[in-house]
Amino acid sequence: MASRAQAESAGQGFRLWPGLLDRAAQEALRDAVFARARQAPFYIPRMPKSGAPLSVRMTNFGPLGWVTDKERGYRYEPMHPETNRPWPDIPEAALALWERLCGYPAPPEACLVNLYEGTAKMGLHVDSDEEAWDAPVLSISLGDTALFRIGGVLRSDPTRSVRLASGDVMMLAGDARRAFHGVDRILPGTSSLLPQIGMRGGGRINLTLRRVTLPA
Ligand code: SIN
Ligand code: FE2
């Protein structure tokens, strides 16, 4: 882990640590993700009601995973929707980042893993399916750089674009926890971290750590 990592403060509750994970830490986390994805494969999530596929593929680690499907919509579930098995555990390195950066009195329960390939993106949304809205969301980026967009608590609030590169760690806390955000696109060829596993020309993996239930 890079000791020179600097926290960059930009707006209420939004924090970015560029390059917090050095190359060796990125490789170790990538390997931990792919090892778990053999047990809990990336699958195609679907929008509530329409059943339209999202362009990212997803899996989860931890006791709870965020899922969406046509019939039952957005929610957290303890089992993978296709294997019906519990999600694998959250990689230790990710838990350690949560402890070090978040200052929250309980561990995360969900680690959503988004896989962006080709033209995959994510529309503006608020993470609002958690009871524990007092807990930050911690995001770890691996692979190609994302053009991330973040605005305010209203969809009509002005937004700005932030580049998230491999090894960057970002926190949404306070006001930013309720802010609209999304991913406009991935910049292909900006990282050599993810050359394999059926990825055409790299791609990006994002892990978000979330506390779902209120701690007792
Ligand atoms: C998300 O909002 O769940 C993912 C954001 C990202 O991929 O950086
Ligand atoms: Fe989100």
Side-chain angles (χ1 to χ4, degrees), residues 14-175:
F14 174 91
R15 291 188 79 187
L16 176 63
W17 291 268
L20 183 63
L21 300 183
D22 65 16
R23 178 71 187 206
Q26 293 169 41
E27 289 174 355
L29 188 54
R30 170 200 66 194
D31 293 348
V33 168
F34 285 136
R36 286 165 176 74
R38 281 198 286 275
Q39 251 179 276
F42 288 99
Y43 69 95
I44 299 173
R46 293 183 178 274
M47 293 293 286
K49 299 196 176 86
S50 73
L54 276 66
S55 60
V56 296
R57 288 194 287 149
M58 292 182 172
T59 189
N60 287 271
F61 308 143
L64 292 172
W66 188 86
V67 299
T68 175
D69 56 30
K70 178 176 159 79
E71 293 76 20
R72 297 179 55 207
Y74 304 155
R75 65 200 189 274
Y76 283 91
E77 292 283 357
M79 307 287 192
H80 188 293
E82 292 182 355
T83 67
N84 288 313
R85 294 174 58 199
W87 306 102
D89 62 345
I90 299 176
E92 188 53 45
L95 290 173
L97 282 173
W98 173 277
E99 277 217 4
R100 179 173 152 201
L101 302 175
C102 291
Y104 193 75
E109 294 167 299
C111 176
L112 172 63
V113 188
N114 292 321
L115 172 59
Y116 298 79
E117 293 178 280
T119 58
K121 60 190 172 150
M122 188 171 291
L124 276 186
H125 66 277
V126 177
D127 296 357
S128 59
D129 302 309
E130 304 77 24
E131 287 168 27
W133 264 38
D134 58 328
V137 168
L138 193 69
S139 146
I140 307 167
S141 291
L142 295 174
D144 286 340
T145 297
L147 292 184
F148 180 79
R149 182 164 295 281
I150 182 154
V153 296
L154 300 178
R155 192 178 276 279
S156 56
D157 283 339
T159 63
R160 66 196 180 87
S161 180
V162 179
R163 278 176 191 236
L164 296 180
S166 198
D168 289 1
V169 178
M170 178 193 73
M171 187 166 76
L172 300 179
D175 287 353

